Amino acid sequence: MNQNRYFYQNSQFITMRKLLFLIALLSGVLFTSCRDDFEFEPSTVALRFSKDTVYLDTVFTNIGSSTYRLKVYNDSDKDIAIPTVQLGKGVNSNYRIMVDGMTGEDADNNGTGDGKIFRNVELLAKDSMFIFIEVTADVADANPTDYLYTDKIEFRHANNVIQDVDLVTLIQDAIFIYPQRDNQNVYETISLGLDPDGNPLTYIGSNLSENDPVNGDELHWTNQKPYVIYGTAMVPNGKNLVVDAGARVHFHANSNLLVSQNASIQINGGNPPNNDPANLTNEVVFEGDRLEPLYSEVPGQWGAVIILSELNTNTINHLTIKNATVGLLVQKRLPFIEPDSNQPKLNLSNVQIYNCANVGLLGRDAQITATNMAINYCGQASLAATLGGAYNFTHCTFNNNWNSSKQFAVVIGNYIETSEATYISDLTQANFTNCIIYGSNQNTLKLDKFTPPNSSIPNVTFAYQFQNCLIKLNNSNSNPLYLPTNTTNFTNCYNANNGQVFNPKLKKVTENKLWPTVDLFTTMPAANTSVTVDILNKLRAPNPNIGAYQFISD
């Protein structure tokens, strides 16, 4: 009687007969597939390409693009060597390509391939290869009528046939603001005072000047060309930055705009034509400097707009901020021990802030007034008003559908913790009128009151009031700070304690379309205010809706 034997391997049993068959099968495959070499013949056959034209998205002048991909197929039964693969403009092209992992000939003799010309590129039968494409070009190299910079990838066969794939890129001119370097190659820096531990705060950056030798007046941003910021661009004390309607400002990674204590800023965006939410012609837009669609909704691409100014003249109207770490940071100059009279001040109207890695609007012991403001998709909170201060929000929509379970739409607090101490300051007022506080979490509002444990420290003021607001709040306890227990600080408010009750039916939060698609006046009427138009300049009468938008029917 034949008896099978078993080997134990990786918790599985394999019979001896099956193992011998597997060894024989593998041996056959190895012997039949092994070749000493491949015989490549000069190509004469037509190649196939994944694209006829590769469109590289818009780039700023002299700023490198992302990497784009082209796939090349050899559908024939022959192993071929393509005599030449090159850019049409040869070594003078501003494009660079990598062909099947190779960087090409070294025309400038610097020890590396230039990504322009390749010889005898081998491609097996029924196989394919990748070509990766990048560009860095000056606007002066582009077509002066449409600012397109073009070239071709040429595949030159042995029979003198040339196949090609077009390359097209839009080059956009811009005004670049960046820190200079001295003769020791050290970057220019700016001082922001002291950190909470008393150490100097300095950042790589530059002071904006009305007489810059290259850019001219850097304190007046127009809509003629986009601006690209590197490092921290600071409005120095005694100066005022004015931004015209339609201006576009792009921030490089970790870059910021900072308004000093005794400086000011006026952003003068305009109403959208025909009340069209998609028409940003007159809007001022702050976003990152990556223009490719892949980066259009990526949070954390740049730093923040930082307002330290204590002046009453800081006004922002019709500004959209996208993809920052913190959209707007309004705080007093460090350390946090100065008296309340030094609070920074800011007036906001018709402002949109989206896709911030941390917070959309962060106020620390600040005085902020806002009407018709919409904020969505922020990693921690759409609005965080911490370390006390004085805040007034009317007809604002604070939504947060960030993909986590810890984010809030609104956080109100009276303290901030550092490594050395906990700083406390009075919350003299936090008034919300006709606002929507909503999002994907069950609790979208956090009231973060700190009570000093030491009785020798006087209790601080924590004053807040919500009137005619929709709040998604599903508290299962009886915390006296919140609804439904607290009806003193919440007047005529609508508690959405699940997804069905008082649902505002916002258009599409994933695309930051935050207008209600039903008339909220019928179920959640607004209180009377002086805000007669919404963020799109639509009349609120006769049925004013809560939130930043009047409803737009589907």
Side-chain angles (χ1 to χ4, degrees):
M1 177 182 296
N2 293 330
Q3 185 175 4
N4 293 325
R5 296 184 180 180
Y6 297 87
F7 292 92
Y8 185 76
Q9 184 179 27
N10 295 331
S11 303
Q12 293 181 351
F13 290 99
I14 304 174
T15 66
M16 177 65 78
R17 289 176 178 174
K18 290 182 178 178
L19 182 61
L20 292 173
F21 175 76
L22 180 61
I23 293 173
L25 179 63
L26 289 174
S27 299
V29 170
L30 290 173
F31 280 116
T32 57
S33 63
C34 182
R35 289 176 53 176
D36 292 333
D37 59 353
F38 293 96
E39 295 181 0
F40 292 93
E41 61 181 64
S43 65
T44 58
V45 297
L47 302 169
R48 182 167 58 88
F49 309 109
S50 58
K51 300 175 183 178
D52 294 327
T53 303
V54 178
Y55 295 97
L56 286 77
D57 291 297
T58 304
V59 297
F60 289 116
T61 184
N62 291 322
I63 302 297
S65 71
S66 292
T67 302
Y68 295 78
R69 187 175 67 179
L70 173 71
K71 199 168 186 180
V72 182
Y73 301 88
N74 174 16
D75 293 329
S76 74
D77 296 323
K78 300 178 180 179
D79 300 332
I80 61 173
I82 308 168
T84 305
V85 177
Q86 71 168 67
L87 291 164
K89 296 177 181 178
V91 295
N92 296 317
S93 179
N94 290 317
Y95 287 96
R96 302 175 300 278
I97 60 176
M98 177 180 286
V99 178
D100 206 24
M102 299 179 294
T103 58
E105 294 183 353
D106 181 13
D108 55 9
N109 298 313
N110 66 354
T112 60
D114 299 328
K116 314 291 185 181
I117 300 174
F118 301 75
R119 309 286 185 188
N120 296 317
V121 178
E122 297 174 345
L123 185 55
L124 295 172
K126 305 296 184 181
D127 203 355
S128 62
M129 66 180 178
F130 284 108
I131 296 181
F132 297 98
I133 308 152
E134 296 176 348
V135 65
T136 303
D138 191 287
V139 69
D141 301 320
N143 187 324
T145 59
D146 56 16
Y147 300 104
L148 293 177
Y149 180 72
T150 61
D151 201 348
K152 299 176 183 290
I153 303 177
E154 296 181 346
F155 301 82
R156 301 185 176 187
H157 297 290
N159 57 357
N160 295 321
V161 172
I162 298 177
Q163 292 180 269
D164 58 56
V165 173
D166 291 324
L167 305 177
V168 180
T169 307
L170 177 63
I171 310 297
Q172 189 167 5
D173 199 5
I175 296 172
F176 294 89
I177 297 175
Y178 55 90
Q180 302 292 331
R181 300 193 205 197
D182 62 17
N183 54 12
Q184 302 297 319
N185 206 32
V186 176
Y187 276 110
E188 176 185 4
T189 60
I190 57 176
S191 175
L192 302 184
L194 304 176
D195 66 15
D197 301 323
N199 301 313
L201 274 175
T202 57
Y203 285 88
I204 294 175
S206 57
N207 287 299
L208 299 177
S209 170
E210 61 268 75
N211 296 304
D212 184 82
V214 176
N215 297 327
D217 189 356
E218 295 179 327
L219 290 167
H220 182 194
W221 293 354
T222 72
N223 56 22
Q224 300 304 303
K225 293 181 181 180
Y227 293 78
V228 183
I229 310 298
Y230 286 80
T232 296
M234 186 168 76
V235 184
N237 286 324
K239 302 297 182 181
N240 178 43
L241 173 63
V242 176
V243 184
D244 291 349
R248 299 292 184 263
V249 184
H250 301 266
F251 294 82
H252 194 61
N254 303 314
S255 296
N256 310 284
L257 172 64
L258 185 143
V259 183
S260 303
Q261 276 180 296
N262 294 307
S264 61
I265 183 171
Q266 280 87 46
I267 295 180
N268 303 317
N271 294 315
N274 303 316
N275 310 130
D276 181 1
N279 192 328
L280 300 179
T281 302
N282 299 325
E283 190 86 356
V284 175
V285 180
F286 287 3
E287 59 183 327
D289 65 346
R290 300 306 301 263
L291 304 183
E292 303 89 336
L294 178 65
Y295 291 89
S296 63
E297 305 296 334
V298 177
Q301 295 181 44
W302 56 284
V305 177
I306 305 169
I307 309 293
L308 306 179
S309 173
E310 302 163 6
L311 304 182
N312 289 314
T313 53
N314 298 304
T315 60
I316 297 178
N317 184 34
H318 279 293
L319 168 68
T320 294
I321 296 177
K322 296 175 56 181
N323 307 331
T325 300
V326 174
L328 277 168
L329 169 58
V330 188
Q331 70 170 37
K332 59 173 33 180
R333 184 167 176 169
L334 301 176
F336 298 121
I337 56 177
E338 299 176 355
D340 288 346
S341 60
N342 293 324
Q343 289 174 327
K345 301 173 180 65
L346 181 61
N347 289 286
L348 301 162
S349 57
N350 310 304
V351 169
Q352 303 173 69
I353 305 176
Y354 302 128
N355 305 326
C356 293
N358 292 345
V359 180
L361 170 59
L362 174 57
R364 290 173 173 163
D365 199 5
Q367 296 181 26
I368 301 175
T369 298
T371 59
N372 289 339
M373 181 166 61
I375 308 179
N376 189 31
Y377 269 114
C378 300
Q380 297 174 3
S382 292
L383 164 67
T386 64
L387 193 61
Y391 306 94
N392 287 280
F393 300 102
T394 305
H395 280 293
C396 295
T397 298
F398 303 106
N399 194 79
N400 201 353
N401 274 61
W402 189 270
N403 187 24
S404 80
S405 60
K406 297 180 180 180
Q407 82 280 2
F408 292 91
V410 172
V411 175
I412 305 295
N414 64 340
Y415 72 98
I416 186 171
E417 292 181 312
T418 72
S419 60
E420 297 296 324
T422 298
Y423 295 91
I424 310 169
S425 186
D426 287 328
L427 179 67
T428 57
Q429 59 180 328
N431 299 325
F432 294 79
T433 305
N434 298 337
C435 293
I436 294 175
I437 300 172
Y438 208 77
S440 54
N441 277 355
Q442 289 297 307
N443 293 304
T444 60
L445 171 65
K446 180 179 181 181
L447 300 173
D448 196 15
K449 181 181 179 181
F450 181 85
T451 302
N454 189 338
S455 60
S456 64
I457 302 176
N459 197 12
V460 294
T461 302
F462 195 82
Y464 60 98
Q465 188 68 45
F466 295 84
Q467 180 179 359
N468 291 74
C469 292
L470 165 62
I471 305 171
K472 188 176 182 183
L473 192 64
N474 190 18
N475 281 341
S476 58
N477 54 40
S478 57
N479 189 323
L481 294 177
Y482 295 91
L483 279 171
T485 304
N486 183 351
T487 57
T488 301
N489 299 94
F490 296 85
T491 305
N492 297 328
C493 287
Y494 316 104
N495 185 9
N497 54 20
N498 60 54
Q500 301 302 317
V501 178
F502 296 120
N503 189 328
K505 298 187 183 300
L506 303 181
K507 175 65 175 179
K508 196 165 187 178
V509 295
T510 56
E511 297 179 4
N512 298 315
K513 298 177 179 178
L514 301 182
W515 51 88
T517 56
V518 295
D519 189 350
L520 300 184
F521 182 81
T522 59
T523 56
M524 294 172 271
N528 291 328
T529 69
S530 60
V531 185
T532 58
V533 296
D534 75 351
I535 194 171
L536 299 176
N537 201 39
K538 292 179 61 178
L539 286 174
R540 290 190 177 275
N543 299 327
N545 276 208
I546 62 173
Y549 296 87
Q550 284 291 98
F551 89 99
I552 302 175
S553 59
D554 285 329

